[in-house]
Amino acid sequence: MNLPQQLIENLEAAKSLPTGSDERFSGYGVMGLPFASGHILAMRRFPASSVGPGYTSVWHRNPDGDWMFYATVTPRQSCTRYFGVIASRTIKTDILIRWLKPFHFQVTMPALPFAWDIMVGETAATRLMNAAGRILPDSAWHNSGVLTTMGLIAGPFLRVGRIGLHGRVPNGQRFIVTPRVLWAVVDSSASLAGKDFGPPGPLQSQARLGDFWIPQRGMLAIGQAFFESFDPAYHSSCTSLSEFP
């Protein structure tokens, strides 16, 4: 059995980046988790980044459709570099990740206050996807045709809806994401400023940010992300920033 806490602690210690000349990130995260109330959460933890220090980011969409991005580094060094066009707010603040058990962790932002409890587990589908991922050569993870086929197969197999492993982000850069190891979110709860988000559940209409689709079922993934290097002639530099102590 793959223990996520152990694998992630090894990843944190290594802080290694894949080779290349594009903008690269290595780490893990909750690809996306919708709640029946209409809230959406996602989390990224990249111990290694080619555009700045390692960082943690939380994405939140409220039921009105407004996206907020929180990160431990500046917007140009975090996810807002690629998604800032659609962000209502970008906030730099402390984000803490604490493992309670090998399959159970919490994400908190004390300044908000925000608390997110996540329990993950292996399923027959994640075991098969992980086994397939182990035998794929690295070149396949960078082949758009292979990634499109993987998304078409994995979406219904994992019961997450549509999957976009490559395409363009809202700020215009091309991207590839390579989720090498997966676990399903089996239980979760979250609250922001004392307001509870309620139980997880798929949305009536699956959310997307550019060509990246938010899964209709929560998934924790270890992997890498690659983005086209920023070019002001083709890509937006739109970000916004509020800051908490």
Side-chain angles (χ1 to χ4, degrees):
M1 180 179 291
N2 293 316
L3 298 177
Q5 181 182 8
Q6 180 181 351
L7 293 179
I8 286 168
E9 287 176 351
N10 293 342
L11 187 72
E12 291 277 2
K15 292 182 171 63
S16 61
L17 272 176
T19 58
S21 58
D22 48 3
E23 298 180 359
R24 289 152 286 126
F25 302 86
S26 180
Y28 65 98
V30 178
M31 297 175 68
L33 177 65
F35 290 79
S37 59
H39 289 278
I40 297 173
L41 288 174
M43 183 273 288
R44 303 292 184 270
R45 168 59 187 159
F46 292 122
S49 162
S50 69
V51 301
Y55 71 93
T56 307
S57 179
V58 169
W59 310 358
H60 172 220
R61 196 198 78 172
N62 65 27
D64 294 328
D66 300 319
W67 281 98
M68 279 72 73
F69 287 80
Y70 306 89
T72 55
V73 295
T74 65
R76 300 204 188 284
Q77 297 173 316
S78 68
C79 299
T80 319
R81 183 180 182 91
Y82 310 105
F83 299 95
V85 165
I86 55 88
S88 297
R89 292 184 73 193
T90 301
I91 296 172
K92 183 174 180 287
T93 188
D94 291 336
I95 302 174
L96 308 176
I97 300 173
R98 183 166 67 103
W99 285 88
L100 305 177
K101 295 179 181 179
F103 288 85
H104 184 193
F105 65 101
Q106 291 179 335
V107 180
T108 57
M109 293 187 282
L112 295 179
F114 168 86
W116 184 12
D117 191 85
I118 305 133
M119 187 172 292
V120 300
E122 289 187 316
T123 66
T126 61
R127 291 189 190 98
L128 283 173
M129 292 301 300
N130 293 340
R134 284 194 294 269
I135 64 175
L136 274 180
D138 193 63
S139 59
W141 288 101
H142 294 268
N143 183 297
S144 60
V146 172
L147 293 176
T148 297
T149 301
M150 286 177 61
L152 291 172
I153 295 171
F157 190 58
L158 293 169
R159 295 189 289 115
V160 297
R162 294 190 64 174
I163 293 179
L165 298 178
H166 71 100
R168 287 191 183 272
V169 288
N171 279 31
Q173 298 95 325
R174 292 189 179 276
F175 76 91
I176 288 175
V177 292
T178 62
R180 305 294 185 101
V181 188
L182 295 168
W183 298 269
V185 174
V186 296
D187 195 18
S188 185
S189 61
S191 63
L192 175 63
K195 183 175 181 179
D196 189 270
F197 287 9
L203 304 178
Q204 185 174 4
S205 178
Q206 186 175 0
R208 62 186 293 186
L209 297 91
D211 292 323
F212 180 80
W213 291 82
I214 299 294
Q216 288 279 57
R217 179 188 186 192
M219 303 296 298
L220 173 67
I222 289 177
Q224 299 166 340
F226 304 82
F227 295 86
E228 190 175 16
S229 295
F230 178 77
D231 185 336
Y234 300 101
H235 308 140
S236 173
S237 60
C238 180
T239 59
S240 61
L241 174 64
S242 301
E243 189 160 352
F244 285 124

